[in-house]
Amino acid sequence: MNSLAADQLFADPRVAQAKRLVLDALADHQRTITTVRPPVTECQATYQQTIEQFNQVRGGDLFYRYLGSGIGNGALVELADGSVKYDMVTGIGVHVLGHSHPALVEAALDAAIRNTVMQGNLQQNTESLALSQMLLEAANRNGAVLDHCFLTTSGAMANENGLKLVFQHKHPANRVLAFDRCFMGRTLALAQITDRPGYRTGLPHTLNVDYVPFFDYTQPKRSTDRAVRTLVRHLECHPGRHAAMCFELVQGEGGYYPGDRGFFVALMEVLTDRGVAVFIDEVQTFGRTTELFAFQHYGLDQYVDLVTIGKLSQVCATLYRARYKPKPGLISQTFTGATASILAAQTIVPTLVEGGHFGPNGRNMQIQRRFADRLDAIAARRPGGLSGPYGIGGMIAFTPFDGRPDKVKRFVSALFDAGVIAFVAGTEPLRVRLLVPVGAITDTDIDAVCTIIEQTLVDTAATIEESTPCS
């Protein structure tokens, strides 16, 4: 026989029939999940006990009392207490197609009949090559020159691998540059770059990091000039010692503040002239702007030396120019991705590209504009309730009240109870961030979410007023 046994298995009509049965069953049960609903009374005691057990086992409390039941319907997710909520944070950006998306369920079923659960550096299947080629082709379509792609299991590992590549290439350079308020991860090395001292309390010093102020949308020219002066001062203070500058093109943990092309170009021209690598961290921005890659959105293709992706891609990756190709052994991993994650990525990327998500008027920007319009209307009706800016594409943010942490945390907790899951970002002010499931959310969902946001603002403001001591 000429065909492989695997090809015969994947084409077996019994497999196709089994997938149809599973997908039909899923669709039937998803029809019961159509709107927000409160917990089921009979489930609440057991659910609370389960939450407490989980808190004990993991050694710390969950941010939310959230344990999923295992099913959802687009932007809606069912919890194990029987409640249904709008998921507007999506695992901090992971579930871009929402919950129980049939195409992802089918990809997982295809993965289940593959020979291995995990693929790794020593043994990978053909789908790892197909995904790597897909990512490189997409990254280079506007003129970038990224030659290699290394898959990995997390955004942190993608960033770690990128750092190792630039340090080996630039040895003995031992410094990196990053933006104020940046977030790059929580490993020993990445916690040193992440501009949150509290995230590295008790950790040993690992890297020398010099910070550059990020773009200020209220003062475009002044903030650009200030950043360039700071960058040049760092480079002149430590000549030849910087291996790379790490760029978040939209600050994630910093508060969902987009940058500006002129700002980035001004910095990248200096870096390129000095031989310092331009390292773009797209673990959060990938797939959420007007282009698949945010560096394409900003027209930075000619400058990028390395780019990392993650979150919505399920399996993560470091893409890099040929000159950063490592010596053997530098970035070898047991696991480079789960088979289900790899097949999911091969489903998600084409779904976004072919589904009209990109371009100035693509679905990503339509979602952002609808949220911004609704939030602006709320701000007009509720003075002091919330304010922008409102992020970009699938990264939505707003500031409730005056952005004081105690008020914002009270608000997001009340929002969760009301049926919308969000998260926080930024400092002074603390902001609410939404990483919406752009591949699943409808305009009706957006309107419903904003209605809940407005009512929760009103309710939270009342509780804050009641708890404020009289002067």
Side-chain angles (χ1 to χ4, degrees):
M1 299 180 64
N2 293 327
S3 63
L4 298 173
D7 294 335
Q8 296 175 49
L9 169 63
F10 304 152
D12 192 307
R14 292 172 295 179
V15 171
Q17 181 184 25
K19 288 197 291 186
R20 282 197 302 273
L21 288 171
V22 170
L23 293 172
D24 287 347
L26 173 65
D28 287 343
H29 292 283
Q30 282 185 300
R31 293 189 185 100
T32 67
I33 302 172
T34 58
T35 189
V36 168
R37 68 177 182 230
V40 175
T41 302
E42 294 78 8
C43 296
Q44 287 184 282
T46 300
Y47 188 75
Q48 180 60 31
Q49 291 173 2
T50 305
I51 292 286
E52 291 171 357
Q53 290 170 358
F54 198 8
N55 289 341
Q56 175 63 29
V57 167
R58 72 193 294 268
D61 289 353
L62 296 163
F63 188 88
Y64 288 125
R65 295 173 60 255
Y66 177 107
L67 286 174
S69 69
I71 190 173
N73 187 5
L76 292 164
V77 60
E78 181 186 75
L79 275 59
D81 65 356
S83 65
V84 173
K85 301 180 186 294
Y86 276 112
D87 185 3
M88 293 295 105
V89 72
T90 58
I92 316 186
V94 179
H95 317 308
V96 69
L97 301 187
H99 292 269
S100 299
H101 193 288
L104 292 186
V105 172
E106 186 170 3
L109 293 170
D110 287 335
I113 60 173
R114 258 55 176 189
N115 61 312
T116 56
V117 173
M118 302 295 294
Q119 299 189 28
N121 194 53
L122 190 63
Q123 293 178 315
Q124 299 181 78
N125 289 355
T126 55
E127 49 266 17
S128 291
L129 170 62
L131 175 59
S132 299
Q133 290 174 325
M134 175 195 295
L135 293 174
L136 286 170
E137 181 179 355
N140 291 327
R141 73 182 188 88
N142 293 337
V145 186
L146 297 165
D147 302 282
H148 305 295
C149 174
F150 190 89
L151 303 178
T152 188
T153 51
S154 73
M157 279 308 305
N159 282 337
E160 283 273 347
N161 287 336
L163 287 175
K164 289 194 286 185
L165 294 175
V166 296
F167 277 123
Q168 187 177 80
H169 176 70
K170 289 286 291 183
H171 179 79
N174 63 351
R175 307 185 75 87
V176 295
L177 295 139
F179 286 122
D180 292 340
R181 303 193 310 272
C182 80
F183 179 88
M184 209 170 181
R186 299 176 194 264
T187 65
L188 278 173
L190 298 179
Q192 196 71 50
I193 299 174
T194 294
D195 191 17
R196 288 288 189 94
Y199 290 2
R200 51 180 179 269
T201 300
L203 301 182
H205 180 83
T206 54
L207 283 177
N208 298 304
V209 185
D210 297 307
Y211 293 101
V212 173
F214 193 67
F215 180 70
D216 182 347
Y217 70 97
T218 67
Q219 299 178 324
K221 186 178 187 307
R222 182 178 297 180
S223 65
T224 300
D225 292 343
R226 182 174 64 245
V228 171
R229 287 196 305 271
T230 304
L231 172 61
V232 171
R233 185 169 65 249
H234 287 318
L235 294 172
E236 290 178 349
C237 186
H238 306 283
R241 305 305 295 181
H242 291 95
M245 180 165 179
C246 304
F247 284 80
E248 275 184 299
L249 302 180
V250 180
Q251 290 210 306
E253 186 108 347
Y256 279 19
Y257 296 105
D260 170 82
R261 184 180 189 277
F263 173 81
F264 293 131
V265 167
L267 295 172
M268 291 178 182
E269 288 281 1
V270 174
L271 295 165
T272 301
D273 184 60
R274 304 289 183 98
V276 178
V278 172
F279 183 149
I280 300 181
D281 174 359
E282 294 220 26
V283 171
Q284 192 158 164
T285 53
F286 181 67
R288 300 188 191 281
T289 63
T290 65
E291 298 277 356
L292 185 61
F293 290 85
F295 75 78
Q296 295 169 331
H297 167 84
Y298 287 107
L300 304 172
D301 305 75
Q302 72 186 83
Y303 298 103
V304 59
D305 291 308
L306 303 93
V307 61
T308 55
I309 66 165
K311 291 191 181 291
L312 71 77
S313 57
Q314 313 300 304
V315 64
C316 305
T318 308
L319 289 69
Y320 57 97
R321 290 181 186 256
R323 63 174 168 267
Y324 295 96
K325 183 176 179 180
K327 295 180 173 60
L330 185 71
I331 54 171
S332 176
Q333 296 177 204
T334 302
F335 298 150
T336 51
T339 302
S341 299
I342 294 166
L343 292 182
Q346 289 179 273
T347 300
I348 291 167
V349 172
T351 297
L352 295 177
V353 171
E354 297 165 12
H357 281 268
F358 303 118
N361 296 309
R363 181 61 183 157
N364 286 359
M365 294 305 293
Q366 291 173 16
I367 289 168
Q368 191 274 337
R369 285 193 287 265
R370 193 174 189 91
F371 265 110
D373 288 346
R374 300 311 184 264
L375 294 171
D376 258 341
I378 293 170
R381 288 192 296 269
R382 312 288 178 187
L386 63 79
S387 59
Y390 302 120
I392 183 173
M395 304 170 72
I396 315 296
F398 61 92
T399 303
F401 310 118
D402 55 6
R404 280 177 43 187
D406 57 333
K407 295 180 182 179
V408 177
K409 290 176 182 177
R410 185 182 297 192
F411 170 76
V412 295
S413 177
L415 193 62
F416 179 85
D417 292 339
V420 173
I421 309 170
F423 202 41
V424 295
T427 56
E428 300 178 358
L430 188 64
R431 286 160 58 78
V432 172
R433 60 170 153 171
L434 311 178
L435 275 160
V436 301
V438 296
I441 196 168
T442 65
D443 288 350
T444 301
D445 293 330
I446 294 171
D447 296 346
V449 166
C450 290
T451 297
I452 296 170
I453 287 172
E454 182 170 14
Q455 187 59 53
T456 305
L457 281 169
V458 173
D459 295 343
T460 306
T463 63
I464 290 172
E465 185 175 343
E466 289 172 2
S467 63
T468 301
C470 295
S471 55

